[in-house]
Amino acid sequence: MKSEKTNVMRLLDKAKIKYEPHEYPHGSEAVDGLTVAKLCGFDPECVFKTLVARGTSKNVYVFVIPVSSELDLKKAAKAAGEKSVEMVKVSEINALTGYIRGGCSPVGMKKRYPTFINESAKAKNTVYVSAGKIGSQVELEPLALAEICGAQFSELVKDK
């Protein structure tokens, strides 16, 4: 069965960025990232989730971190140059990004927000991010991900 191309995949194709699509079984509800990693047989340190936050300035920011980690809001605020940031409400995600919870990708959002990828991604050969819909992931090189998102690398996660 050939996987259906998502908008994320079309954007990667257009930018001539190599990627590998992956699918996993799912229902209509979002599946947490650790479950996605397990279903796909991926190392959870290589599977990244996309989080959307708003700063004190009301600007929106995107943070891409390993599914096994938790976003450190102080580190995120520092990376964004904000006094503080807080997660946006789940009900706002679609209006801001064009994606739904569980299918939010840093690639191809409605608007290009300042994006930050956790520093740990640079040590990986490839990382996995949502392909823009539940049940679909793309695997690509971290520098290619940063390039297409206009992202910078920063330390974003809580110490374990």
Side-chain angles (χ1 to χ4, degrees):
M1 178 179 116
K2 189 161 167 40
S3 66
E4 178 187 324
K5 281 224 177 186
T6 65
N7 193 42
V8 169
M9 293 172 195
R10 285 188 281 278
L11 289 168
L12 292 169
D13 286 342
K14 187 176 177 187
K16 296 183 176 16
I17 291 176
K18 274 182 23 186
Y19 68 92
E20 187 69 37
H22 298 276
E23 292 186 352
Y24 60 89
H26 63 90
S28 58
E29 290 299 307
V31 180
D32 72 272
L34 286 172
T35 302
V36 170
K38 189 175 180 182
L39 286 169
C40 295
F42 302 151
D43 175 355
E45 294 298 317
C46 294
V47 180
F48 283 66
K49 57 187 170 185
T50 304
L51 304 173
V52 184
R54 185 175 282 115
T56 312
S57 67
K58 303 294 182 219
N59 288 331
V60 174
Y61 301 94
V62 176
F63 300 99
V64 183
I65 67 169
V67 297
S68 57
S69 299
E70 192 178 337
L71 182 65
D72 184 315
L73 294 174
K74 283 186 171 50
K75 289 178 182 176
K78 183 178 179 189
E82 289 278 356
K83 187 175 178 177
S84 66
V85 296
E86 61 182 40
M87 301 304 295
V88 300
K89 293 179 177 70
V90 171
S91 60
E92 292 182 90
I93 290 174
N94 184 258
L96 290 171
T97 68
Y99 294 122
I100 60 167
R101 179 178 178 268
C104 191
S105 178
V107 179
M109 289 189 176
K110 278 184 176 178
K111 186 176 171 198
R112 191 175 220 179
Y113 298 110
T115 302
F116 303 87
I117 301 170
N118 196 64
E119 191 73 32
S120 65
K122 288 199 303 193
K124 311 293 182 201
N125 291 328
T126 59
V127 294
Y128 304 87
V129 295
S130 174
K133 69 175 191 174
I134 295 172
S136 190
Q137 297 271 301
V138 287
E139 175 184 4
L140 69 167
E141 293 176 352
L143 294 176
L145 176 63
E147 179 188 326
I148 196 159
C149 297
Q152 51 190 301
F153 293 93
S154 193
E155 195 52 54
L156 301 170
V157 299
K158 289 186 176 179
D159 297 326
K160 290 185 181 183

